[in-house]
Amino acid sequence: MEPSNRQSRGFPDDVRYPDSEMERTITLNDIERLGPMEIERRSFEIISAEASGRIPEDERSMIIKRVIHTTADFDYLDSLCFSEGAVGYALESLRKGAWIVTDTNMALSGINKPSLKKAGCEAFCFMADEDVAWQARKLGVTRASVCVDKAASLGHPLIYAVGNAPTALIRLYELIQDEKIRPELIIGVPVGFVNVVQSKELIMQTGVPYIVARGRKGGSNVAACICNALLYMLDGSRG
């Protein structure tokens, strides 16, 4: 079989390009020469243009833009859900020193540490703790669910950011129902297939402020991105 016209030019057939670019070779003249912060600004311009007015012009705006910027996925325009006043509650909690707890070290590493320090806050992940691993083996449950119990024992205001483990959301729901924990905010954006959709819906029924990505999409990068968006809004370091 002979290669297609696009393949002969180095364009894979399974990639879709804008019509204006399909019939010509890309050169370095097509590259936008921008500085680091200009790249981010330009990205937001593109996101706003392609969103065609669908991004709300309120406190949710920058969170939505940053999630799309992180994922290049405009499905979040429809799937990213906010409880009423969630952003305001989160910002006020951070101002008062709430801690952020993540369900993965990847999410923890993605949180901007200078902005976290400037806010006077701390962030934690307990997944690698020996006591968590021991308890999970003893009970036959996931470490992510045991981490929620450990967080509940801290007795400190928490923002819980879940980007990977629906079992963490399920355990949060159970402890909220038992009145053993009440986070200031739950960021519920685990990615995957088993119990992912259901666990997010449970969180949206708790009465606790939430930012949830309905459906299967999400990830640790999205959880960290939402935390960073809140921190940037707090310190005004990045628009």
PDB file of all heavy atoms in Angstrom, residues 32-47 62 66 69 112 115 228 232 235-239:
ATOM      1  N   GLU A  32       5.443  30.393  16.857  1.00  0.00           N
ATOM      2  CA  GLU A  32       5.344  31.659  17.574  1.00  0.00           C
ATOM      3  C   GLU A  32       6.514  31.773  18.545  1.00  0.00           C
ATOM      4  O   GLU A  32       6.723  30.896  19.374  1.00  0.00           O
ATOM      5  CB  GLU A  32       4.028  31.735  18.347  1.00  0.00           C
ATOM      6  CG  GLU A  32       2.792  31.760  17.475  1.00  0.00           C
ATOM      7  CD  GLU A  32       1.520  31.973  18.287  1.00  0.00           C
ATOM      8  OE1 GLU A  32       1.409  33.022  18.947  1.00  0.00           O
ATOM      9  OE2 GLU A  32       0.655  31.076  18.260  1.00  0.00           O
ATOM     10  N   ARG A  33       7.276  32.861  18.434  1.00  0.00           N
ATOM     11  CA  ARG A  33       8.432  33.072  19.294  1.00  0.00           C
ATOM     12  C   ARG A  33       7.979  33.832  20.533  1.00  0.00           C
ATOM     13  O   ARG A  33       7.769  35.039  20.500  1.00  0.00           O
ATOM     14  CB  ARG A  33       9.506  33.875  18.543  1.00  0.00           C
ATOM     15  CG  ARG A  33       9.928  33.248  17.211  1.00  0.00           C
ATOM     16  CD  ARG A  33      10.655  31.928  17.411  1.00  0.00           C
ATOM     17  NE  ARG A  33      11.090  31.357  16.134  1.00  0.00           N
ATOM     18  CZ  ARG A  33      11.780  30.245  16.005  1.00  0.00           C
ATOM     19  NH1 ARG A  33      12.125  29.569  17.097  1.00  0.00           N
ATOM     20  NH2 ARG A  33      12.123  29.793  14.820  1.00  0.00           N
ATOM     21  N   LEU A  34       7.828  33.108  21.633  1.00  0.00           N
ATOM     22  CA  LEU A  34       7.283  33.703  22.850  1.00  0.00           C
ATOM     23  C   LEU A  34       8.136  33.332  24.062  1.00  0.00           C
ATOM     24  O   LEU A  34       8.727  32.250  24.108  1.00  0.00           O
ATOM     25  CB  LEU A  34       5.846  33.216  23.076  1.00  0.00           C
ATOM     26  CG  LEU A  34       4.832  33.500  21.964  1.00  0.00           C
ATOM     27  CD1 LEU A  34       3.548  32.747  22.240  1.00  0.00           C
ATOM     28  CD2 LEU A  34       4.567  34.988  21.849  1.00  0.00           C
ATOM     29  N   GLY A  35       8.161  34.229  25.049  1.00  0.00           N
ATOM     30  CA  GLY A  35       8.807  33.926  26.307  1.00  0.00           C
ATOM     31  C   GLY A  35       7.939  33.013  27.153  1.00  0.00           C
ATOM     32  O   GLY A  35       6.760  32.783  26.833  1.00  0.00           O
ATOM     33  N   PRO A  36       8.482  32.466  28.245  1.00  0.00           N
ATOM     34  CA  PRO A  36       7.740  31.502  29.076  1.00  0.00           C
ATOM     35  C   PRO A  36       6.371  31.990  29.528  1.00  0.00           C
ATOM     36  O   PRO A  36       5.363  31.290  29.368  1.00  0.00           O
ATOM     37  CB  PRO A  36       8.681  31.277  30.265  1.00  0.00           C
ATOM     38  CG  PRO A  36      10.031  31.543  29.714  1.00  0.00           C
ATOM     39  CD  PRO A  36       9.864  32.650  28.724  1.00  0.00           C
ATOM     40  N   MET A  37       6.285  33.186  30.095  1.00  0.00           N
ATOM     41  CA  MET A  37       5.004  33.676  30.581  1.00  0.00           C
ATOM     42  C   MET A  37       4.095  34.093  29.419  1.00  0.00           C
ATOM     43  O   MET A  37       2.870  34.040  29.531  1.00  0.00           O
ATOM     44  CB  MET A  37       5.203  34.849  31.546  1.00  0.00           C
ATOM     45  CG  MET A  37       5.921  34.459  32.830  1.00  0.00           C
ATOM     46  SD  MET A  37       5.215  33.008  33.665  1.00  0.00           S
ATOM     47  CE  MET A  37       3.593  33.620  34.103  1.00  0.00           C
ATOM     48  N   GLU A  38       4.712  34.487  28.310  1.00  0.00           N
ATOM     49  CA  GLU A  38       3.917  34.832  27.130  1.00  0.00           C
ATOM     50  C   GLU A  38       3.231  33.595  26.560  1.00  0.00           C
ATOM     51  O   GLU A  38       2.124  33.689  26.024  1.00  0.00           O
ATOM     52  CB  GLU A  38       4.810  35.475  26.064  1.00  0.00           C
ATOM     53  CG  GLU A  38       5.327  36.854  26.417  1.00  0.00           C
ATOM     54  CD  GLU A  38       6.239  37.405  25.337  1.00  0.00           C
ATOM     55  OE1 GLU A  38       7.240  36.734  25.016  1.00  0.00           O
ATOM     56  OE2 GLU A  38       5.928  38.486  24.811  1.00  0.00           O
ATOM     57  N   ILE A  39       3.898  32.437  26.677  1.00  0.00           N
ATOM     58  CA  ILE A  39       3.291  31.196  26.198  1.00  0.00           C
ATOM     59  C   ILE A  39       2.001  30.914  26.963  1.00  0.00           C
ATOM     60  O   ILE A  39       0.977  30.551  26.384  1.00  0.00           O
ATOM     61  CB  ILE A  39       4.273  30.018  26.345  1.00  0.00           C
ATOM     62  CG1 ILE A  39       5.460  30.204  25.395  1.00  0.00           C
ATOM     63  CG2 ILE A  39       3.578  28.683  26.086  1.00  0.00           C
ATOM     64  CD1 ILE A  39       6.572  29.193  25.589  1.00  0.00           C
ATOM     65  N   GLU A  40       2.051  31.076  28.287  1.00  0.00           N
ATOM     66  CA  GLU A  40       0.851  30.860  29.094  1.00  0.00           C
ATOM     67  C   GLU A  40      -0.246  31.852  28.730  1.00  0.00           C
ATOM     68  O   GLU A  40      -1.407  31.472  28.566  1.00  0.00           O
ATOM     69  CB  GLU A  40       1.193  30.964  30.577  1.00  0.00           C
ATOM     70  CG  GLU A  40       0.032  30.659  31.498  1.00  0.00           C
ATOM     71  CD  GLU A  40       0.446  30.627  32.951  1.00  0.00           C
ATOM     72  OE1 GLU A  40       0.911  29.572  33.427  1.00  0.00           O
ATOM     73  OE2 GLU A  40       0.308  31.680  33.613  1.00  0.00           O
ATOM     74  N   ARG A  41       0.131  33.126  28.602  1.00  0.00           N
ATOM     75  CA  ARG A  41      -0.855  34.149  28.220  1.00  0.00           C
ATOM     76  C   ARG A  41      -1.474  33.834  26.870  1.00  0.00           C
ATOM     77  O   ARG A  41      -2.690  33.914  26.698  1.00  0.00           O
ATOM     78  CB  ARG A  41      -0.186  35.524  28.189  1.00  0.00           C
ATOM     79  CG  ARG A  41      -1.106  36.662  27.699  1.00  0.00           C
ATOM     80  CD  ARG A  41      -0.348  37.941  27.464  1.00  0.00           C
ATOM     81  NE  ARG A  41       0.745  37.770  26.540  1.00  0.00           N
ATOM     82  CZ  ARG A  41       0.598  37.665  25.211  1.00  0.00           C
ATOM     83  NH1 ARG A  41      -0.606  37.675  24.665  1.00  0.00           N
ATOM     84  NH2 ARG A  41       1.660  37.518  24.442  1.00  0.00           N
ATOM     85  N   ARG A  42      -0.641  33.444  25.913  1.00  0.00           N
ATOM     86  CA  ARG A  42      -1.141  33.112  24.574  1.00  0.00           C
ATOM     87  C   ARG A  42      -2.050  31.885  24.619  1.00  0.00           C
ATOM     88  O   ARG A  42      -3.071  31.830  23.936  1.00  0.00           O
ATOM     89  CB  ARG A  42       0.049  32.864  23.642  1.00  0.00           C
ATOM     90  CG  ARG A  42      -0.345  32.469  22.227  1.00  0.00           C
ATOM     91  CD  ARG A  42      -1.008  33.608  21.480  1.00  0.00           C
ATOM     92  NE  ARG A  42      -1.351  33.205  20.135  1.00  0.00           N
ATOM     93  CZ  ARG A  42      -2.594  33.236  19.637  1.00  0.00           C
ATOM     94  NH1 ARG A  42      -3.601  33.696  20.380  1.00  0.00           N
ATOM     95  NH2 ARG A  42      -2.838  32.843  18.410  1.00  0.00           N
ATOM     96  N   SER A  43      -1.681  30.924  25.453  1.00  0.00           N
ATOM     97  CA  SER A  43      -2.525  29.722  25.599  1.00  0.00           C
ATOM     98  C   SER A  43      -3.916  30.101  26.096  1.00  0.00           C
ATOM     99  O   SER A  43      -4.926  29.596  25.599  1.00  0.00           O
ATOM    100  CB  SER A  43      -1.879  28.734  26.571  1.00  0.00           C
ATOM    101  OG  SER A  43      -0.657  28.256  26.080  1.00  0.00           O
ATOM    102  N   PHE A  44      -3.975  30.995  27.086  1.00  0.00           N
ATOM    103  CA  PHE A  44      -5.268  31.419  27.614  1.00  0.00           C
ATOM    104  C   PHE A  44      -6.073  32.177  26.566  1.00  0.00           C
ATOM    105  O   PHE A  44      -7.307  32.070  26.522  1.00  0.00           O
ATOM    106  CB  PHE A  44      -5.082  32.269  28.861  1.00  0.00           C
ATOM    107  CG  PHE A  44      -4.678  31.490  30.085  1.00  0.00           C
ATOM    108  CD1 PHE A  44      -4.211  32.120  31.220  1.00  0.00           C
ATOM    109  CD2 PHE A  44      -4.756  30.104  30.099  1.00  0.00           C
ATOM    110  CE1 PHE A  44      -3.846  31.404  32.347  1.00  0.00           C
ATOM    111  CE2 PHE A  44      -4.389  29.373  31.213  1.00  0.00           C
ATOM    112  CZ  PHE A  44      -3.931  30.020  32.338  1.00  0.00           C
ATOM    113  N   GLU A  45      -5.393  32.939  25.723  1.00  0.00           N
ATOM    114  CA  GLU A  45      -6.090  33.634  24.637  1.00  0.00           C
ATOM    115  C   GLU A  45      -6.742  32.628  23.687  1.00  0.00           C
ATOM    116  O   GLU A  45      -7.885  32.801  23.265  1.00  0.00           O
ATOM    117  CB  GLU A  45      -5.115  34.523  23.866  1.00  0.00           C
ATOM    118  CG  GLU A  45      -4.656  35.761  24.619  1.00  0.00           C
ATOM    119  CD  GLU A  45      -3.621  36.557  23.842  1.00  0.00           C
ATOM    120  OE1 GLU A  45      -3.180  36.067  22.762  1.00  0.00           O
ATOM    121  OE2 GLU A  45      -3.241  37.651  24.298  1.00  0.00           O
ATOM    122  N   ILE A  46      -5.990  31.575  23.353  1.00  0.00           N
ATOM    123  CA  ILE A  46      -6.517  30.539  22.461  1.00  0.00           C
ATOM    124  C   ILE A  46      -7.687  29.821  23.115  1.00  0.00           C
ATOM    125  O   ILE A  46      -8.720  29.569  22.483  1.00  0.00           O
ATOM    126  CB  ILE A  46      -5.397  29.539  22.095  1.00  0.00           C
ATOM    127  CG1 ILE A  46      -4.322  30.241  21.251  1.00  0.00           C
ATOM    128  CG2 ILE A  46      -5.967  28.343  21.337  1.00  0.00           C
ATOM    129  CD1 ILE A  46      -3.064  29.412  21.040  1.00  0.00           C
ATOM    130  N   ILE A  47      -7.530  29.484  24.391  1.00  0.00           N
ATOM    131  CA  ILE A  47      -8.609  28.802  25.114  1.00  0.00           C
ATOM    132  C   ILE A  47      -9.876  29.653  25.123  1.00  0.00           C
ATOM    133  O   ILE A  47     -10.970  29.159  24.832  1.00  0.00           O
ATOM    134  CB  ILE A  47      -8.162  28.471  26.550  1.00  0.00           C
ATOM    135  CG1 ILE A  47      -7.098  27.376  26.537  1.00  0.00           C
ATOM    136  CG2 ILE A  47      -9.351  28.042  27.414  1.00  0.00           C
ATOM    137  CD1 ILE A  47      -6.369  27.191  27.846  1.00  0.00           C
ATOM    138  N   MET A  62     -10.887  31.170  36.015  1.00  0.00           N
ATOM    139  CA  MET A  62      -9.478  30.827  35.943  1.00  0.00           C
ATOM    140  C   MET A  62      -9.233  29.352  36.230  1.00  0.00           C
ATOM    141  O   MET A  62      -8.306  28.740  35.695  1.00  0.00           O
ATOM    142  CB  MET A  62      -8.662  31.702  36.902  1.00  0.00           C
ATOM    143  CG  MET A  62      -7.152  31.599  36.677  1.00  0.00           C
ATOM    144  SD  MET A  62      -6.639  31.789  34.934  1.00  0.00           S
ATOM    145  CE  MET A  62      -7.233  33.450  34.588  1.00  0.00           C
ATOM    146  N   ARG A  66      -7.419  26.996  33.509  1.00  0.00           N
ATOM    147  CA  ARG A  66      -6.186  26.292  33.862  1.00  0.00           C
ATOM    148  C   ARG A  66      -6.325  24.778  33.669  1.00  0.00           C
ATOM    149  O   ARG A  66      -5.370  24.110  33.296  1.00  0.00           O
ATOM    150  CB  ARG A  66      -5.757  26.631  35.285  1.00  0.00           C
ATOM    151  CG  ARG A  66      -5.170  28.028  35.392  1.00  0.00           C
ATOM    152  CD  ARG A  66      -4.297  28.241  36.604  1.00  0.00           C
ATOM    153  NE  ARG A  66      -3.646  29.544  36.506  1.00  0.00           N
ATOM    154  CZ  ARG A  66      -2.526  29.759  35.845  1.00  0.00           C
ATOM    155  NH1 ARG A  66      -1.909  28.752  35.236  1.00  0.00           N
ATOM    156  NH2 ARG A  66      -1.992  30.968  35.786  1.00  0.00           N
ATOM    157  N   HIS A  69      -5.999  24.318  30.041  1.00  0.00           N
ATOM    158  CA  HIS A  69      -4.598  24.570  29.699  1.00  0.00           C
ATOM    159  C   HIS A  69      -3.732  23.361  30.040  1.00  0.00           C
ATOM    160  O   HIS A  69      -2.828  22.994  29.282  1.00  0.00           O
ATOM    161  CB  HIS A  69      -4.105  25.796  30.478  1.00  0.00           C
ATOM    162  CG  HIS A  69      -2.689  26.157  30.216  1.00  0.00           C
ATOM    163  ND1 HIS A  69      -1.744  26.213  31.218  1.00  0.00           N
ATOM    164  CD2 HIS A  69      -2.038  26.491  29.082  1.00  0.00           C
ATOM    165  CE1 HIS A  69      -0.573  26.557  30.702  1.00  0.00           C
ATOM    166  NE2 HIS A  69      -0.721  26.743  29.415  1.00  0.00           N
ATOM    167  N   ASN A 112       2.284  24.190  43.424  1.00  0.00           N
ATOM    168  CA  ASN A 112       3.313  25.221  43.414  1.00  0.00           C
ATOM    169  C   ASN A 112       3.731  25.569  44.841  1.00  0.00           C
ATOM    170  O   ASN A 112       2.953  26.166  45.597  1.00  0.00           O
ATOM    171  CB  ASN A 112       2.786  26.463  42.690  1.00  0.00           C
ATOM    172  CG  ASN A 112       3.836  27.521  42.501  1.00  0.00           C
ATOM    173  OD1 ASN A 112       4.301  28.126  43.464  1.00  0.00           O
ATOM    174  ND2 ASN A 112       4.205  27.771  41.253  1.00  0.00           N
ATOM    175  N   SER A 115       3.889  29.424  45.981  1.00  0.00           N
ATOM    176  CA  SER A 115       2.546  29.974  46.216  1.00  0.00           C
ATOM    177  C   SER A 115       1.932  29.383  47.472  1.00  0.00           C
ATOM    178  O   SER A 115       1.231  30.070  48.214  1.00  0.00           O
ATOM    179  CB  SER A 115       1.642  29.717  45.001  1.00  0.00           C
ATOM    180  OG  SER A 115       2.045  30.502  43.903  1.00  0.00           O
ATOM    181  N   ASN A 228      -3.437  24.761  42.356  1.00  0.00           N
ATOM    182  CA  ASN A 228      -2.612  25.901  41.955  1.00  0.00           C
ATOM    183  C   ASN A 228      -3.456  27.091  41.534  1.00  0.00           C
ATOM    184  O   ASN A 228      -3.131  28.238  41.865  1.00  0.00           O
ATOM    185  CB  ASN A 228      -1.675  25.496  40.820  1.00  0.00           C
ATOM    186  CG  ASN A 228      -0.529  24.635  41.293  1.00  0.00           C
ATOM    187  OD1 ASN A 228      -0.173  24.656  42.473  1.00  0.00           O
ATOM    188  ND2 ASN A 228       0.053  23.880  40.392  1.00  0.00           N
ATOM    189  N   TYR A 232      -2.995  30.703  43.105  1.00  0.00           N
ATOM    190  CA  TYR A 232      -2.669  31.862  42.278  1.00  0.00           C
ATOM    191  C   TYR A 232      -3.721  32.965  42.453  1.00  0.00           C
ATOM    192  O   TYR A 232      -3.395  34.148  42.469  1.00  0.00           O
ATOM    193  CB  TYR A 232      -2.579  31.482  40.807  1.00  0.00           C
ATOM    194  CG  TYR A 232      -1.504  30.473  40.477  1.00  0.00           C
ATOM    195  CD1 TYR A 232      -1.623  29.647  39.357  1.00  0.00           C
ATOM    196  CD2 TYR A 232      -0.370  30.334  41.275  1.00  0.00           C
ATOM    197  CE1 TYR A 232      -0.648  28.728  39.043  1.00  0.00           C
ATOM    198  CE2 TYR A 232       0.613  29.393  40.974  1.00  0.00           C
ATOM    199  CZ  TYR A 232       0.470  28.596  39.847  1.00  0.00           C
ATOM    200  OH  TYR A 232       1.439  27.674  39.536  1.00  0.00           O
ATOM    201  N   ASP A 235      -2.841  34.707  45.815  1.00  0.00           N
ATOM    202  CA  ASP A 235      -1.688  35.605  45.903  1.00  0.00           C
ATOM    203  C   ASP A 235      -1.569  36.556  44.712  1.00  0.00           C
ATOM    204  O   ASP A 235      -0.713  37.441  44.720  1.00  0.00           O
ATOM    205  CB  ASP A 235      -0.384  34.815  46.122  1.00  0.00           C
ATOM    206  CG  ASP A 235      -0.005  33.944  44.934  1.00  0.00           C
ATOM    207  OD1 ASP A 235      -0.452  34.199  43.799  1.00  0.00           O
ATOM    208  OD2 ASP A 235       0.799  33.001  45.130  1.00  0.00           O
ATOM    209  N   GLY A 236      -2.412  36.364  43.698  1.00  0.00           N
ATOM    210  CA  GLY A 236      -2.386  37.253  42.546  1.00  0.00           C
ATOM    211  C   GLY A 236      -1.112  37.165  41.736  1.00  0.00           C
ATOM    212  O   GLY A 236      -0.796  38.079  40.965  1.00  0.00           O
ATOM    213  N   SER A 237      -0.387  36.045  41.859  1.00  0.00           N
ATOM    214  CA  SER A 237       0.904  35.926  41.187  1.00  0.00           C
ATOM    215  C   SER A 237       0.776  35.670  39.707  1.00  0.00           C
ATOM    216  O   SER A 237       1.648  36.017  38.928  1.00  0.00           O
ATOM    217  CB  SER A 237       1.744  34.824  41.830  1.00  0.00           C
ATOM    218  OG  SER A 237       1.089  33.566  41.723  1.00  0.00           O
ATOM    219  N   ARG A 238      -0.335  35.023  39.307  1.00  0.00           N
ATOM    220  CA  ARG A 238      -0.513  34.708  37.893  1.00  0.00           C
ATOM    221  C   ARG A 238      -1.989  34.894  37.561  1.00  0.00           C
ATOM    222  O   ARG A 238      -2.861  34.394  38.256  1.00  0.00           O
ATOM    223  CB  ARG A 238      -0.074  33.281  37.586  1.00  0.00           C
ATOM    224  CG  ARG A 238       1.435  33.130  37.748  1.00  0.00           C
ATOM    225  CD  ARG A 238       1.858  31.707  37.940  1.00  0.00           C
ATOM    226  NE  ARG A 238       1.862  30.949  36.708  1.00  0.00           N
ATOM    227  CZ  ARG A 238       2.405  29.732  36.591  1.00  0.00           C
ATOM    228  NH1 ARG A 238       2.980  29.173  37.634  1.00  0.00           N
ATOM    229  NH2 ARG A 238       2.368  29.092  35.467  1.00  0.00           N
ATOM    230  N   GLY A 239      -2.246  35.595  36.456  1.00  0.00           N
ATOM    231  CA  GLY A 239      -3.627  35.886  36.088  1.00  0.00           C
ATOM    232  C   GLY A 239      -4.346  34.709  35.518  1.00  0.00           C
ATOM    233  O   GLY A 239      -3.789  33.672  35.283  1.00  0.00           O
TER     234      GLY A 239
END
